[in-house]
Structures are given as structure tokens and as C-alpha cells.
Amino acid sequence: IVTGVSSASTSGSASTKRARGDGISYKSEKVKLDSISTEAPPHPLLRTRKGVVEILADGADDTDFNEQKKSHESNGITGGLSFAMPAAKPVPQKKEKIDPLKRQAELKGINLLRMPNGMERRRLNTTKMNKKKGIITWKIELCFHQPKVPAEDLNGSSHTLEKSFPKLLKVESEVSESSTLSEELGRHLDVHPGNSTTRSSLRAFANASRDSLLMFMKRLPCSSAAPQYFKLDPNATLMESLTGKTIIEFPTIDVVMETEKDCFPLFIKEI
């Protein structure tokens, strides 16, 4: 709505805002009108209230504006005329899709970071969730760091494990959040049908006492040049071990011998 003051001596302009019933705000501006012919016939876009001429323009384009301006001037109305265009409607923001796995992990106090679709770690993540029970079965990656100490091979000769096996052996499995880390170690280090190949590769860990095996999890985020680790309790459940920690897609746990623990500086120092 654009309003004009019906006085030839009035000058200057002031901006106001009016709201229509459709919720759209229109900007109105008072402009100077040099003269108004009281004998001019009424116009469908003109309305006079208490000496103020209101020009109604709802969605008019430039062509309509020019035609109506000429019509008004021919009726004795001079001065600046302009149309008030509706304010731009805000673009509705799309609601971000909630990741049910991430949401369930947050409810358990776990900060789960998801990688974009197509990324390697996202593609390899086989973690799944039981929506009815709210239980997460995590894919975990156990990284066994081979000790740099002599060991006896099957023929009784002495050699170093560093030369016989890779320094790092990764074993992947799916573990329920209610299972303990000690139980998961037993699946790979104890004698079970079908795990002879893995157990043979992890012979140094299988022959060592279970108390001498330590489990660490890298603190995220941290500097790659100076990483820090959390020491995990093997008797705690997987959910207890992950609570309060940040993981990317799925947890990676380092398994080392007691002699190698100095290679994993702790985020929380032991007393």
C-alpha cells in the first residue's frame, strides 16, 4: 500500500510497514502529491481515508504501474507514485534427515561420526541396530601389534615375529554392545572351530597370559604427530568402553603386549 498526503505543502517521505491478512508484509511510503483533483472519478486502485490517498497495488508489474500512473495523472493527480511490492518470502529450510544409528549412539553417550556415503570407512561399516530393542551390534576392528621379541616357531628354531608376521594384524568382527572385550579376544585367541588360521597368526598373543594383553583406543580428535589413547578394561562391556568417546563409523581397538605399552601414551595418566 502506498499512501500520499493530500497537501501541496507537504514534502519529505517516511516509511511504514503494514500487514495484510495473508501474512505478507507490504512496505508503504508516503510521497509528495502536488495536487489532487477532487472531481477526478474514483479508481479501483484508489482509496481516500481522512484526506490520505491510498493506492492499492497487489502484485502489479511494471506495465500495470505505468498504465495506472498515466491514468492517475490524466485525472489530475501529479507527483511521485510507486507500488508496494510484497516482501520476499523466506525459503523454507529442508529438515536434515536424522541418522537412526547416530541418534541411538548419542542416547548411549557415544559420539558417533558418520562419513559421507561412498567413503571407504562408511562403506565397510556393517554396524547394525535393533530398533525394537535399541541394541547396537558394532563392527569392531582389533589391531594386534606384534611384539618385537624373539619367539619359538613350530620347528623350535628362534626367530623374531617382526620378520615372520606383519607388524600389525587387523581382525574384524561384529560384537554386541553387551559383550565384554575379554570375550571378544577369546573368540580369536582361544581354540574354536574355524579360527585356526587367525589363531596361528596371533600365536604370540594366544600363548601369552590374558592379563598381559592390553587394549587401547585412540582419543579423537587428536594430533597425528602426538596421538593419545584410552586404556580399556577388558572386563567391561563394549558399550561401557565406548561411552563418552568419539568414534568414526566403528571402533578401532589396539591390542598390545605389556612390553609395548610405552608406544601408546595415555590421555589419562595412570597413577
Side-chain angles (χ1 to χ4, degrees), residues 53-259:
V53 179
E54 297 179 348
I55 302 174
L56 308 178
D58 188 357
D61 55 19
D62 293 340
T63 303
D64 295 334
F65 171 78
N66 293 330
E67 291 179 356
Q68 300 304 331
K69 180 178 179 181
K70 291 178 181 178
S71 175
H72 296 162
E73 290 176 349
S74 65
N75 289 330
I77 301 177
T78 60
L81 296 175
S82 61
F83 285 93
M85 301 304 293
K89 294 182 179 180
V91 179
Q93 298 293 332
K94 292 184 179 180
K95 293 184 178 180
E96 185 178 355
K97 187 177 180 181
I98 299 177
D99 188 320
L101 179 60
K102 179 178 176 65
R103 176 58 178 165
Q104 188 65 28
E106 289 176 350
L107 293 175
K108 299 175 183 293
I110 304 169
N111 184 23
L112 173 62
L113 303 181
R114 306 304 305 271
M115 301 189 73
N117 290 324
M119 299 295 287
E120 182 72 7
R121 194 169 179 89
R122 176 72 177 264
R123 186 180 63 82
L124 296 176
N125 189 6
T126 57
T127 300
K128 51 184 176 291
M129 179 187 67
N130 187 319
K131 293 183 178 180
K132 292 184 178 180
K133 298 181 179 180
I135 298 176
I136 300 178
T137 300
W138 292 93
K139 172 188 175 174
I140 69 170
E141 185 179 60
L142 295 178
C143 297
F144 291 86
H145 297 261
Q146 300 284 6
K148 300 177 183 179
V149 295
E152 296 294 327
D153 61 12
L154 296 177
N155 297 326
S157 60
S158 177
H159 69 286
T160 60
L161 292 177
E162 184 178 4
K163 296 180 180 180
S164 301
F165 300 109
K167 296 180 180 180
L168 179 66
L169 181 63
K170 295 182 179 180
V171 178
E172 299 177 351
S173 59
E174 295 182 355
V175 183
S176 172
E177 62 182 20
S178 60
S179 299
T180 65
L181 297 177
S182 178
E183 293 172 348
E184 180 59 20
L185 280 180
R187 290 177 55 186
H188 306 292
L189 302 182
D190 296 338
V191 178
H192 295 292
N195 75 335
S196 59
T197 301
T198 301
R199 189 172 183 274
S200 176
S201 301
L202 299 174
R203 181 170 57 247
F205 295 90
N207 294 336
S209 64
R210 202 59 54 86
D211 294 338
S212 65
L213 301 182
L214 304 179
M215 307 181 78
F216 298 96
M217 185 174 174
K218 184 181 292 185
R219 172 180 174 259
L220 298 175
C222 69
S223 170
S224 59
Q228 295 178 317
Y229 296 84
F230 295 105
K231 183 178 180 181
L232 305 180
D233 181 2
N235 296 318
T237 64
L238 180 58
M239 187 181 72
E240 292 171 343
S241 299
L242 298 181
T243 299
K245 299 178 179 63
T246 298
I247 62 175
I248 301 176
E249 289 295 338
F250 53 86
T252 297
I253 299 175
D254 297 284
V255 184
V256 300
M257 296 285 195
E258 178 77 23
T259 55

